[in-house]
Amino acid sequence: MNKYEKRSMSAYNQKADRYEDTPEGQYTRNVNELLLENIFVPAGSRVLDIACGNGRFLSKLSRTHQLFSGYGIDIAENMVEKAVKLNPSMSFEVARCEQLPFLDASFDVITVNAAFHHFPHVTAFVIEASRVLKTGGMIYIAEIYYPGILKTLFNIYLKFSQEGDVRIYKPDEIARLLSVAGFGEAVFKIIGQIQIIGARKINLRR
């Protein structure tokens, strides 16, 4: 576990009980709502929410897409504990995003909500996500968005973060990363300070 993961684990274990009331928790709710408007989950799907936090997104998804099996992983055990209590019919585990505890081609849909900027090795992550996603399956990454100089300044600020933040990316940067892992052309939407990137797995990972 590297320094970013250790910082994330510590920070989110500490804020698990009050996460919904923090500014970050409020922002994540907005990200969740926007993704819910742009996600397609076929009936019978197995859905994996990576960096699931307290499980709030999967809970909301279950209200509009009832016929799916929900799974989540997070690096902070206290967050996972909250997710289990909120979604007793779903499965959650403590795990790193680069080492997913699942078999190849296990899922139809993968989601990442307001967490991609915490991942220290994004290339390793997208390859691992491709491994556990079925061919034809979809990945949705809902993430912070800042244009131009604001992104540059924000990334400078993140160097001093003690919560495991690493870097924010532009949509085309995320799209290029996904293409390396066998995903097709990414589609993205930007609304305010939120970006959503969706891509379908078309090939086995390279």
Side-chain angles (χ1 to χ4, degrees), residues 48-106:
L48 172 62
D49 191 26
I50 296 177
C52 65
N54 61 8
R56 185 66 62 186
F57 174 74
L58 286 174
S59 176
K60 291 180 177 180
L61 185 64
S62 69
R63 299 171 194 169
T64 54
H65 298 75
Q66 297 179 355
L67 300 177
F68 77 92
S69 299
Y71 298 79
I73 67 103
D74 199 276
I75 200 168
E77 59 267 28
N78 291 353
M79 282 292 207
V80 170
E81 182 180 337
K82 296 292 183 183
V84 170
K85 291 179 179 178
L86 184 62
N87 304 286
S89 65
M90 301 183 191
S91 299
F92 297 90
E93 295 189 45
V94 177
R96 300 170 62 228
C97 68
E98 299 165 15
Q99 294 180 332
L100 300 175
F102 305 106
L103 298 176
D104 295 358
S106 296

Side-chain angles (χ1 to χ4, degrees), residues 6-152:
K6 290 178 180 178
R7 289 173 181 174
S8 290
M9 182 175 65
S10 175
Y12 289 93
N13 274 333
Q14 291 179 36
K15 66 175 69 175
D17 287 335
R18 55 184 176 84
Y19 183 72
E20 292 293 324
D21 297 323
T22 66
E24 182 182 358
Q26 294 169 17
Y27 176 82
T28 300
R29 282 202 297 274
N30 294 335
V31 174
N32 289 172
E33 294 296 337
L34 187 57
L35 181 54
L36 286 169
E37 296 173 6
N38 290 275
I39 192 173
F40 175 66
V41 179
S45 293
R46 287 164 57 92
V47 179
L48 172 62
D49 191 26
I50 296 177
C52 65
N54 61 8
R56 185 66 62 186
F57 174 74
L58 286 174
S59 176
K60 291 180 177 180
L61 185 64
S62 69
R63 299 171 194 169
T64 54
H65 298 75
Q66 297 179 355
L67 300 177
F68 77 92
S69 299
Y71 298 79
I73 67 103
D74 199 276
I75 200 168
E77 59 267 28
N78 291 353
M79 282 292 207
V80 170
E81 182 180 337
K82 296 292 183 183
V84 170
K85 291 179 179 178
L86 184 62
N87 304 286
S89 65
M90 301 183 191
S91 299
F92 297 90
E93 295 189 45
V94 177
R96 300 170 62 228
C97 68
E98 299 165 15
Q99 294 180 332
L100 300 175
F102 305 106
L103 298 176
D104 295 358
S106 296
F107 296 98
D108 303 283
V109 178
I110 288 176
T111 57
V112 183
N113 283 275
F116 193 77
H117 61 284
H118 282 274
F119 298 169
H121 303 111
V122 288
T123 300
F125 161 69
V126 294
I127 291 173
E128 182 70 345
S130 179
R131 178 186 70 79
V132 303
L133 189 64
K134 298 175 184 177
T135 298
M138 288 291 298
I139 187 170
Y140 296 91
I141 298 174
E143 179 62 351
I144 299 169
Y145 173 77
Y146 286 120
I149 187 64
L150 289 178
K151 181 180 80 71
T152 300

